């Protein structure tokens, strides 16, 4: 009988956790319960359960099957047995490297020839990336503990291209030890340092904003103090004139009175001055109090907004926010191929809306999209002349990355579909809001939907030029036109 184990509970994560959160949870638990560092009696059993849970959740097909079985269990239905998963074919070799000598060996049917310098780097770092004589890109991994050498397909996509940035295994696939690859530890430490730098830059920008606000407040307070000073001088001048008016009468009243007693005009003068100072001081103090509260709220809102925007970035390697727009399309920055009735009011786009004057080669971008009519919509990541490249998602859960030439208003003129498929991460049906994002590194384009990486392609054509938004209808659609409402477009560069 197939015993049901909740993989999410084993790793201590939520069912909607991303790939990065799953990997981080596994690495943290592996370093706690790995038998090499934990000598408790149940450490080995717990580590096996942790590794099995990670194996299921790190594979898209196995995770989809597990989610289906978990939903059936929570609904009270009979949980069907787990689908059999074919074992991955892995070949490990244990080369006998000679110090200062080149090496030749065969792994998984591929012939490798390494220079002496490459051998030293492989033994030192536990990883070597390069190209064979046939220009095929490879990634060799070497365990510094058991000395197993292998080339894995886990770091490759469907087109046999290495992922960038690629991820190594958290434990050695052969001996199951941790800390087996120094290069992976260095990469992880660099990611932490980059995250710290980005956080410091964010706080520096917020501190600069606070200083500017403080300087503006000081100038405003100084202007207020100058006004108070002018009011005091006017009050004193008025008191002097009042005193001069009453002075003849005061002299006649002083005759026969005891020397040193305050006269009535003096008392009136002092009273007027004190009342004036009391009114001015009270109003100034209240203004300072409420202004301080208002500035504190502004600074808090600015920090919260900056943090929320940074979390939307699908690729943290691009950390400079180069463009932002709430997409009402009334700023004059957009060139639309087809005007629609919703274009000026709701940020709606009928087929293509291009950002004029934009030219990007390496960047990441994200936008909120709701398909109003038609079938699909998404982001244009390259448009130059009559060449258009875009990534799109559809109401039925399909996605695609397309390279197109000639007439951009005719969908049948597509030259090449770089990637297509179905993803459960896409919210299906009309009036559903999806968060669509792309990341462009050179000739590599990655598509994200709702925070999940969907697919990645590498193609040397059409990865630079104007960027924009796209909406279209399928060949069998009954809609008269295609419209999609977009909101909050952000673009980051390095």
């Amino acid at each position: 009988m197939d015993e049901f184990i909740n993989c999410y509970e084993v790793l201590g994560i939520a069912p909607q956790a991303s790939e990065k959160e799953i990997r981080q949870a596994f690495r943290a638990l592996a370093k706690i319960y790995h038998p090499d560092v934990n000598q408790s009696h149940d450490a080995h059993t717990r580590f096996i359960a942790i590794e099995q849970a990670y194996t299921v959740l790190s594979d898209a097909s196995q995770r989809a099957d597990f989610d289906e079985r978990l939903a059936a269990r929570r609904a009270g239905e009979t949980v069907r047995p787990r689908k059999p998963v074919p074992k991955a074919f892995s070949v490990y070799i244990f080369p006998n490297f000679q110090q200062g000598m080149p090496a030749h060996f065969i792994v998984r049917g591929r012939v490798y020839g390494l220079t002496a310098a490459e051998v030293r780097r492989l033994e030192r770092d536990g990883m070597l990336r390069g190209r064979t004589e046939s220009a095929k890109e490879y990634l060799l991994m070497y365990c510094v503990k058991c000395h197993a050498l292998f080339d894995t397909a886990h770091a490759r996509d469907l087109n046999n291209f290495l992922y960038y940035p690629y991820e190594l295994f958290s434990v050695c696939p052969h001996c199951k030890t941790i800390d087996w690859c120094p290069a992976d530890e260095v990469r992880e430490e660099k990611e932490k340092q980059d995250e710290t730098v980005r956080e410091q830059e964010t706080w520096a920008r917020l501190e600069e904003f606070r200083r500017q606000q403080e300087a503006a407040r000081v100038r405003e307070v100084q202007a207020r103090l100058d006004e108070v000073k002018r009011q005091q001088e006017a009050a004193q001048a008025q008191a002097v004139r009042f005193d001069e008016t009453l002075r003849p009468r005061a002299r006649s009243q002083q005759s026969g009175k005891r020397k040193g007693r305050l006269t009535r005009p003096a008392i009136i003068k002092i009273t007027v001055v004190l009342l004036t100072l009391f009114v001015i001081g009270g109003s100034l103090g209240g203004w300072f109090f409420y202004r301080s509260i208002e500035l504190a709220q502004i600074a808090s809102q600015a920090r919260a907004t900056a943090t929320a925007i940074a979390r939307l970035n699908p690729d943290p390697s691009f950390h400079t926010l180069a463009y932002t727009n709430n997409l009402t399309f009334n700023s004059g920055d957009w060139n639309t191929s087809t005007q629609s009735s919703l274009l000026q009011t709701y940020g709606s786009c009928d087929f293509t809306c291009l950002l004029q004057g934009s030219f990007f080669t390496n960047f990441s971008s994200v936008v909120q999209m709701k398909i109003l009519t038609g079938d699909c919509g998404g982001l244009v990541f390259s448009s130059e002349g009559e060449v258009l490249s875009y990534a799109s998602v559809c109401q039925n859960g399909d996605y695609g990355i397309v390279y197109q030439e000639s007439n951009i208003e005719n969908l049948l003129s597509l030259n090449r579909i770089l990637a297509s498929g179905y993803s459960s991460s896409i919210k299906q049906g009309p009036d559903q809001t999806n968060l669509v994002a792309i990341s462009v590194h050179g000739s590599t384009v990655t598509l994200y939907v709702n925070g999940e990486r969907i697919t990645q392609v590498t193609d040397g054509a059409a990865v630079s030029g104007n960027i924009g938004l796209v909406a279209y209808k399928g060949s069998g659609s009954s809609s008269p036109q295609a419209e999609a409402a977009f909101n909050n477009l952000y673009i980051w560069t390095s």
Side-chain angles (χ1 to χ4, degrees):
M1 181 177 179
D2 186 19
E3 180 183 0
F4 185 84
I5 299 176
N6 193 329
C7 298
Y8 294 109
E9 293 180 354
V10 172
L11 295 182
I13 57 178
Q16 62 272 18
S18 63
E19 294 180 5
K20 184 176 181 180
E21 291 172 335
I22 294 173
R23 186 168 56 254
Q24 290 175 343
F26 173 71
R27 291 180 66 90
L29 292 174
K31 291 185 178 181
I32 296 176
Y33 293 104
H34 196 282
D36 288 349
V37 296
N38 193 322
Q39 303 301 321
S40 60
H41 67 281
D42 62 340
H44 180 71
T45 303
R46 295 199 63 175
F47 178 74
I48 291 178
I50 292 169
E51 186 179 26
Q52 291 176 347
Y54 175 70
T55 301
V56 172
L57 298 183
S58 61
D59 182 85
S61 60
Q62 293 189 56
R63 183 178 182 181
D65 178 67
F66 173 77
D67 288 342
E68 182 180 345
R69 297 171 68 236
L70 178 61
R73 179 180 177 86
R74 290 178 173 175
E77 302 174 1
T78 302
V79 180
R80 58 173 175 77
R82 184 174 58 183
K83 293 181 181 179
V85 180
K87 294 184 178 180
F89 177 71
S90 300
V91 175
Y92 307 94
I93 66 170
F94 300 87
N96 183 19
F97 292 134
Q98 301 294 328
Q99 185 176 6
M101 298 293 293
H104 296 270
F105 48 84
I106 300 176
V107 181
R108 289 159 51 89
R110 290 196 180 109
V111 179
Y112 294 92
L114 305 184
T115 65
E118 291 175 332
V119 170
R120 286 195 302 271
R121 190 160 64 251
L122 179 62
E123 290 183 304
R124 180 193 65 201
D125 299 338
M127 183 272 291
L128 180 66
R129 182 173 184 168
R131 294 183 180 272
T132 61
E133 294 180 356
S134 60
K136 291 290 185 180
E137 192 177 24
Y138 66 80
L139 180 67
L140 292 175
M141 302 179 193
Y142 179 77
C143 178
V144 298
K145 302 291 182 66
C146 68
H147 306 295
L149 177 67
F150 58 95
D151 174 14
T152 175
H154 288 77
R156 298 178 180 271
D157 60 15
L158 297 178
N159 297 321
N160 206 31
F161 289 105
L162 290 175
Y163 287 139
Y164 182 84
Y166 52 83
E167 295 289 348
L168 302 184
F169 299 105
S170 300
V171 297
C172 174
H174 179 257
C175 65
K176 306 300 181 182
T177 58
I178 58 177
D179 300 331
W180 65 282
C181 180
D184 194 35
E185 300 297 325
V186 172
R187 180 190 57 80
E188 184 180 12
E189 182 63 27
K190 186 177 184 302
E191 287 183 353
K192 293 180 180 178
Q193 293 176 356
D194 293 342
E195 183 67 24
T196 301
V197 170
R198 287 192 294 271
E199 184 176 354
Q200 291 175 348
E201 290 177 349
T202 300
W203 280 108
R205 289 193 293 269
L206 290 175
E207 181 63 22
E208 178 63 23
F209 174 77
R210 188 194 65 80
R211 285 196 296 267
Q212 293 176 358
Q213 293 293 320
E214 182 67 20
R217 187 181 69 85
V218 169
R219 290 192 297 269
E220 190 173 355
V221 169
Q222 185 62 45
R224 184 65 177 174
L225 291 175
D226 292 342
E227 179 63 23
V228 170
K229 184 178 179 181
R230 285 192 295 270
Q231 292 177 0
Q232 290 177 340
E233 292 175 350
Q236 291 176 357
Q238 184 178 4
V240 169
R241 289 194 298 271
F242 184 75
D243 180 61
E244 291 176 349
T245 302
L246 298 179
R247 187 172 298 171
R249 183 179 176 183
R251 289 175 180 173
S252 62
Q253 292 177 351
Q254 286 178 355
S255 58
K257 293 186 178 181
R258 188 171 58 189
K259 186 177 181 180
R261 175 179 293 181
L262 290 175
T263 63
R264 183 177 179 181
I267 294 175
I268 294 175
K269 176 180 177 181
I270 294 174
T271 302
V272 171
V273 172
L274 290 177
L275 287 175
T276 302
L277 293 177
F278 176 77
V279 172
I280 294 174
S283 61
L284 184 60
W287 182 84
F288 278 138
F289 176 74
Y290 288 108
R291 185 59 177 168
S292 299
I293 294 177
E294 182 182 358
L295 290 176
Q297 292 175 345
I298 292 174
S300 177
Q301 292 174 357
R303 288 192 295 268
T305 301
T307 302
I309 292 175
R311 289 176 179 174
L312 296 176
N313 188 358
D315 192 338
S317 63
F318 300 113
H319 50 78
T320 301
L321 185 60
Y323 183 82
T324 177
N325 196 318
N326 60 2
L327 296 182
T328 57
F329 292 105
N330 56 6
S331 62
D333 295 338
W334 295 85
N335 176 25
T336 58
S337 64
T338 304
Q339 297 290 335
S340 68
S341 60
L342 301 177
L343 186 61
Q344 297 296 331
T345 305
Y346 297 100
S348 170
C349 174
D350 187 354
F351 195 66
T352 55
C353 304
L354 301 178
L355 180 60
Q356 299 189 61
S358 63
F359 191 91
F360 296 91
T361 54
N362 290 283
F363 66 95
S364 63
S365 180
V366 64
V367 70
Q368 290 178 334
M369 180 190 71
K370 179 190 292 185
I371 298 176
L372 303 177
T373 60
D375 299 290
C376 308
L379 281 165
V380 176
F381 58 85
S382 176
S383 175
E384 192 170 6
E386 295 184 348
V387 177
L388 184 75
S389 298
Y390 59 90
S392 63
V393 299
C394 303
Q395 291 193 48
N396 61 359
D398 291 342
Y399 64 85
I401 298 180
V402 180
Y403 171 80
Q404 176 180 321
E405 293 185 15
S406 70
N407 185 5
I408 62 175
E409 295 181 358
N410 182 3
L411 187 59
L412 299 178
S413 65
L414 295 177
N415 282 25
R416 187 170 49 196
I417 298 178
L418 303 181
S420 63
Y422 170 84
S423 174
S424 59
S425 299
I426 301 173
K427 296 179 182 178
Q428 301 182 35
D431 294 329
Q432 292 290 332
T433 301
N434 285 282
L435 193 67
V436 183
I438 57 172
S439 172
V440 177
H441 279 275
S443 59
T444 300
V445 181
T446 308
L447 171 64
Y448 304 82
V449 179
N450 297 322
E452 296 290 336
R453 189 176 79 169
I454 303 300
T455 187
Q456 182 183 67
V457 297
T458 299
D459 188 85
V463 291
S464 63
N466 295 101
I467 66 173
L469 309 170
V470 62
Y472 60 90
K473 58 182 179 179
S475 57
S477 177
S478 60
S479 299
Q481 64 180 358
E483 289 184 335
F486 295 92
N487 190 23
N488 295 332
L489 171 67
Y490 300 102
I491 303 174
W492 292 269
T493 59
S494 56

